[in-house]
């Protein structure tokens, strides 16, 4: 089959690789209809997270079940499904507790958490390909209505819609609260959409890209343009000096200060300033424990320096981490089906798998308008 | 009346000061029966938090209502009461939400949160004195059974028992979970006691003072002696390499590394290492936003540098701040009354108010056995 | 001043009564701008809840502070405020816990819970009048933006918007869930609106009045017309036989079966049938412990007979009771201010206080189109 | 193998039946070391729940894995395990949400929830036998430490310890609260033990059997003897007329009034009276939707008549149903291992499987001292 293969930093190519097959009784093989490129695919692409050459990329996958192993008893050939980016066993302690993001058994390294086509997440190939093997298929797969309706909405269920929603869950967004979201990339925009779904009264989204801020407005959020000055001041002004109840970090440690310098603690500093005393911050922008290319010696080892003294004085809670997709994807699916959610608004490109290498290059350069790219390994749906 | 007055760093004295009186319709005046010295009293004592000369110290207070203003309609003269260290208005948004630690109206500075005899907490005098004025008395005071039974237990209700309990609440301690508490000072010990009250299966307490570790054992916790080597390793070994579900920070930013150097991020580093993926950390050890005597330039401005990358990868939640005492003190009182809690075990000294200056000096030097000092402004109870 | 006075069942009149005045240091007197007639005002009106002659009716009140007692330190003359229907002391255990609906001190009868102008809720006069005395004013009053904007939305904050919302809280409505609401009176409609605010994917509203079902549609709910057949069957059909996650009871014990017979267990039976296993039911329709005019001997003593065996087998939770308005009114106010909630859509009549007696008669007969009546004691706003 | 077979009401016998075998890839076969007789086994025994002749009884099972199917990848031959009484698929919506008690796929009847050897719970044989087949073994089985330590404590993990705990969870028991438990059978006693584990300040247990009340005292609860008079009055007196915060129903619909008459609403009436306003009631005593031998026509169809009007006025929540064992059994196991829980205190008999028929007869007659019977199909451990 054809698949997008990682060769070396900044070098990916669509190549022929062996078809995936049923390797264990609980496996399924999925024919991919849509696979998205994710902002975090750029970490290995840029060499900031080490990936072995030859790995197939792609952890935002959906498609149709092609074949199942003999122990699979729930999903069956022909089912249309979404594949959560966390690959989980379904029977360990963390899976039992709903933390599929920290499955204790799926990653042979022994680290909690596994995934598809990603550094440190186990040997599992990604889904920017014609087919994908999914272990523990009955547990991992979310069933979708047959057909091709809502394809571009449903494809957001594998990662970024739940991830944005998780940010608002960690930030304790509830009806009537005010929220500041830093970052208007796909995850930040999904957090804005989620904040409205959860009944937030006021939603601010901070970024400096005009096209992304326009999308924030489409999700009924108030855009705050970093290029216009200090976002903390802007939000304090808009909230009568009180600040917001909830903050979402959707940027990560690669944040850049106005001078263009990478500055890992920058967004946390801003959130500690802008969230009011007793508030909560949800961190879904990625921080890592080691990064050979990081800006400072501390950052190379995942140390981050921020205004924790003020966070204590304000009594803030700061919760972080990868989203356990299964915790949210069924409900988000139902909101899409009932017309209450429409995450596909962020889609900027629908491309053939053959165009994937070019798409990585454009997306990595943050070319204007490249918000969210969908790949169609089987052609247009 | 007599009161313990702050004169200058390392200089306090018992002096005559004017009696407190009813200044507003909702005030009460309390005759103090017991006032404790708190570890955080040492922050102004050591000059690490600036306090104006002449202030009466003391925020861990209990006693008997002596007089009430005309708007007080619940408590009455003769009631035995505990005075939470947070002084709160009872009617602002944060008080409505149970966050008396962040009352929006009691502190004339406009900062959330007020208290007695403490830097930045408003103009209110402390209770290491014969009498104390308590504003919004009906809201702030917790009624206790008449008489003098359980005096040494009840006196822990004004601050450290709820504060230790708050640490376990922020750390999401629940039945069957495992907990690591860093710091076996009074707050850490109260956290250990609270963890057992909440049904923890396993409780570790880390410190280096033998007398404190012995007390931890009395509260049915497993002592981990820092002098014996790396506490992270010790706890990982005792949990089959899994780490604990919950962590409590009961040390604060003045932590010292084995070399005796002050190191603000040290305890957070250890907690991030020792708490398992998906776990929670509660921070009740104090961090501050400015400290002129801090070890580093960063620390002077409340910046703390720790392994946040690993915290993200593990999906940890870190919640912090002063305890909203009213959220817990009634239930903790009832546990004392019903014989299910016995916080007085940590009391090491019961002294006359006249001995207060010497007690500060001994307590500040961490002299052996000076765990918790109670002052009796009216003599022994 | 002029006020609507209860004389005898089915007999109310606007009369001159003495002006309210500050009776205690924490009192305020409010000049009423809008007072609504509530469905539960019909209980005393119809003689099904005994009220002493001469009582001023009205517990859905808003207005402007006219005068405050010497102990009032937060609200002040001129503030525009909403008055929650629960009258609460702010300092008892239940008030501390957020249960102002069960205040332990405000009702001289010793029963938990007090209110304005209502049977068993204490001696406090209601607000269908020019002025209203509000005890413990700082605690009870919710501040509103000055002016007269949103008057018809804000007037829903004193009771039915929070009450409908409370139904959805007790029913555990959260994003993506499905909800069935029995009763499309004002409370049921507010529950439907609240369910959407909370992100429900699917909302059914059951009633038999066409005008109310039309309003349900305006709040984006699916109307289920009782006249068209069994509502349980209709909802099971619309949910592929699965039933809904959440049920709200907004009818009460005076439900009538298709034959026109009063049948106290009818709605609970339907909810137990229609809510899926593990689901939750929130009961805000009123049930009472004694009613001399009830249909059966059992009902006279508040006994209700329903399919509890099935409720157990399905593992349902059923939570009930008056709404603690303060728990929700600030957030609901902010949703109105930010344009995310618009409860005024249910208003059918805006009348002078002088028209109150006739309005009671029409409302009691459920005349077509009499959904929600607002009285303006000071004339139009 | 030998197994206890149901023949007809009041007639059970140990007989040879075919050995269970691996029927599906996810099955395991367990060699039973201990199988308890449960109070609910008496429902089919007495003919109040219809069971087909030939069924093997027993849903409280533990043992050692003897064989696993090819799709089993977590547990393995030789593992010592506890078998939750709910038999669940692990991949349906309810299992995903932690509601294994309402698994949507395991019961061929289509009803939510399946189990072993029990009416309406599917075709699965029970474990009062030498061997037991367990479907979806990786999901259902809880691993225990190897060996035979704590056998009598661990055997409580399959049902009654989690079930008693579930009662306290539904009743919202938390540190410092007061609790009244109706019924001192095994489940009521486990609820009492659980209430203490959860930090309750005060625990009452109501029953009329002296031996059970003595056991309640051993679990540090206050016994309330029904034979001494009205238990509501006794508890109100012991709580200064306030009532308790939490109530647990551990009797069920077969409650008998002092006159010896079966009275399905009796315990709910008492709980509504004894739980204070805003409190919560957890119902784990069994109610059923049909019972041909019930006392009244209503009860035959699962209708129960109780003081729901008062429940509404008090704002009570009433939550009910079978325990989802997996939600609690790991934490309860760890409490046993760490010496914080000791449910085996209720064991009254440890018998050979051959003695099972006689044990049923004695247990059914509530003979003095027959509190909890353990069967050892493989002989003493």
């Amino acid at each position: 089959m054809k698949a997008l293969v990682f060769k070396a930093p900044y070098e990916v190519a669509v190549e022929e690789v062996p078809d995936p097959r049923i390797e264990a009784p609980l496996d399924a093989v999925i024919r991919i209809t849509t696979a998205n490129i994710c902002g975090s695919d750029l970490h290995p692409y840029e060499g900031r997270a080490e990936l072995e050459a030859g790995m197939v990329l792609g952890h935002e996958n959906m498609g149709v079940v092609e074949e199942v192993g003999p122990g699979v008893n729930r999903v069956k050939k022909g089912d249309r499904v979404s594949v959560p980016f966390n690959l989980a066993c379904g029977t360990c302690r963390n899976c039992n507790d709903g933390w599929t993001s920290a499955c204790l058994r799926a990653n042979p390294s022994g680290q909690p958490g596994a995934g598809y086509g990603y550094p440190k997440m186990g040997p599992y190939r990604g889904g920017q390909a014609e087919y994908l093997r999914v272990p523990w298929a009955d547990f991992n797969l979310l069933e979708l209505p047959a057909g091709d309706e809502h394809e571009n909405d449903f494809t957001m269920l594998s990662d970024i819609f739940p991830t944005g929603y998780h940010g608002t869950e960690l930030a304790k967004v509830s009806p009537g609260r005010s929220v500041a979201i830093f970052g208007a990339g796909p995850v930040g925009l999904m957090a804005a959409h989620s904040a409205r779904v959860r009944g937030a009264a006021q939603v601010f989204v901070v970024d400096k890209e005009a096209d992304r801020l326009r999308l924030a407005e489409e999700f009924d959020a108030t855009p705050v343009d970093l290029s216009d000055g200090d976002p903390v001041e802007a939000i304090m002004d808009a909230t009568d000096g009180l600040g917001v109840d909830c903050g979402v970090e959707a940027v990560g440690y690669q944040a850049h200060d106005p001078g263009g310098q990478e500055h890992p603690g920058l967004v946390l500093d801003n959130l500690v300033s802008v969230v009011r005393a007793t508030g909560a911050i949800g961190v879904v922008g990625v921080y890592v424990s080691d990064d050979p290319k990081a800006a400072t010696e501390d950052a190379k080892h995942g140390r981050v320096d921020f205004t924790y003294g003020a966070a204590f004085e304000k009594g803030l809670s700061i919760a972080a981490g990868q989203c356990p997709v299964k915790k949210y994807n069924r409900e988000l699916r139902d909101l899409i089906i009932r017309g209450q959610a429409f995450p596909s608004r962020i889609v900027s490109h629908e491309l053939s798998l053959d165009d994937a290498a070019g798409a990585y290059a454009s997306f990595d350069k943050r070319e204007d308008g490249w918000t969210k790219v969908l790949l169609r390994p089987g052609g247009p749906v």
Side-chain angles (χ1 to χ4, degrees), chain A residues 57-274:
Chain A
L57 287 165
H59 57 269
E60 299 194 355
N61 305 310
M62 71 177 290
V64 173
V65 176
E66 186 73 16
E67 191 186 351
V68 300
V72 174
N73 55 79
R74 194 175 67 87
V75 301
K76 52 189 186 312
K77 185 173 159 67
D79 285 357
R80 187 187 186 202
V81 292
S82 171
V83 189
F85 82 87
N86 338 273
L87 191 169
C89 79
T91 63
C92 72
R93 174 181 176 181
N94 285 349
C95 284
N96 283 172
D97 290 347
W99 287 107
T100 51
S101 50
C103 172
L104 295 166
R105 299 179 59 243
N107 195 334
S109 77
Q111 289 306 302
Y116 303 86
Y118 205 77
K120 293 191 190 174
M121 288 284 146
Y124 310 98
R125 294 201 312 201
Q128 292 167 2
E130 289 180 281
Y131 295 94
L132 175 71
R133 181 173 77 94
V134 175
W136 295 288
D138 275 336
F139 182 69
N140 283 305
L141 297 172
L142 176 72
E143 57 275 32
L144 301 172
D148 55 18
E149 215 188 349
H150 291 307
E151 181 85 7
N152 288 6
D153 290 306
F154 288 150
T155 195
M156 302 307 167
L157 292 173
S158 56
D159 181 350
I160 60 166
F161 193 14
T163 291
Y165 190 91
H166 187 53
T168 62
E169 171 82 10
L170 297 178
K172 303 183 187 176
V173 176
S174 65
R177 294 206 171 169
S178 54
V179 190
I181 298 162
F182 279 73
V187 167
L189 292 168
M190 290 297 96
H193 192 25
S194 299
R196 282 294 184 210
V197 161
R198 295 167 74 103
Q202 229 182 344
V203 182
F204 299 96
V205 176
V206 180
D207 207 300
K208 62 180 201 303
E209 306 294 337
D211 56 337
R212 296 183 159 194
L213 291 171
R214 265 194 307 274
L215 279 167
E217 280 186 291
E218 278 195 41
F219 287 112
D220 200 13
T222 303
V224 176
D225 192 337
L226 277 169
S227 343
D228 292 347
D230 180 12
V232 171
E233 217 171 284
I235 294 171
M236 294 311 276
D237 284 353
T239 55
D240 303 321
L242 296 172
V244 291
D245 302 315
C246 310
V248 177
E249 209 291 17
V251 175
Y253 77 107
Q254 296 180 25
H256 289 74
D257 61 27
Q261 195 97 36
E262 203 166 292
H263 188 148
L266 179 67
V267 181
L268 289 171
D269 282 349
N270 281 339
L271 281 165
V272 169
S273 295
V274 91

Side-chain angles (χ1 to χ4, degrees), chain A residues 32 90 171 175 228 354 369:
Chain A
I32 298 294
D228 292 347
D354 296 326

